[in-house]
């Protein structure tokens, strides 16, 4: 990349890149992971103690964890219903 980006532009590019990568990962998991693995993934995220302080108490991180759980459950619920 020859163009220098500002710090804000780099953050925005990260925000755009992350969902693209997540989509690819979810597609791969959807193909290769058994239901038990999918349930474990969502369960691990649900087990994060958001009231304990630290990073998980940050409202942005808290919302990100909630979104991650929803993405996993939505993705796999839809694909399982289709089969």
């Amino acid at each position: 990349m020859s163009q220098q980006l500002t710090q804000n532009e780099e953050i925005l590019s990260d925000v755009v890149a992350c969902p693209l990568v997540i989509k690819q990962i979810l597609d791969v998991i959807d193909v290769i992971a058994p239901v038990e693995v999918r349930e474990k993934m969502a369960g691990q995220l649900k087990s994060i103690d958001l009231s304990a302080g630290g990073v998980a108490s940050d409202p942005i991180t808290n919302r990100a964890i909630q979104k991650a759980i929803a993405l996993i459950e939505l993705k796999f619920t839809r694909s399982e219903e289709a089969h």
Side-chain angles (χ1 to χ4, degrees), residues 2-19:
S2 60
Q3 180 183 2
Q4 285 285 27
L5 299 178
T6 66
Q7 185 175 4
N8 284 343
E9 290 170 330
E10 281 293 342
I11 291 170
L12 286 174
S13 72
D14 291 347
V15 169
V16 172
C18 286

Side-chain angles (χ1 to χ4, degrees), residues 45-81:
L45 290 172
K46 288 178 182 176
S47 71
I48 296 172
D49 185 3
L50 300 174
S51 64
V55 174
S57 67
D58 169 58
I60 294 171
T61 303
N62 187 337
R63 184 67 180 134
I65 292 168
Q66 292 171 350
K67 285 182 179 183
I69 292 167
L71 274 173
I72 290 170
E73 290 180 341
L74 178 65
K75 172 69 177 176
F76 297 129
T77 300
R78 262 199 269 147
S79 89
E80 287 168 5
E81 290 172 356

Side-chain angles (χ1 to χ4, degrees), residues 15-68:
V15 169
V16 172
C18 286
L20 297 173
V21 173
I22 291 167
K23 166 90 172 81
Q24 293 298 310
I25 292 168
L26 287 173
D27 287 347
V28 169
I29 291 169
D30 194 27
V31 171
I32 64 172
V35 173
E36 299 81 27
V37 172
R38 300 171 192 172
E39 290 171 354
K40 183 177 181 180
M41 290 169 60
Q44 287 174 332
L45 290 172
K46 288 178 182 176
S47 71
I48 296 172
D49 185 3
L50 300 174
S51 64
V55 174
S57 67
D58 169 58
I60 294 171
T61 303
N62 187 337
R63 184 67 180 134
I65 292 168
Q66 292 171 350
K67 285 182 179 183

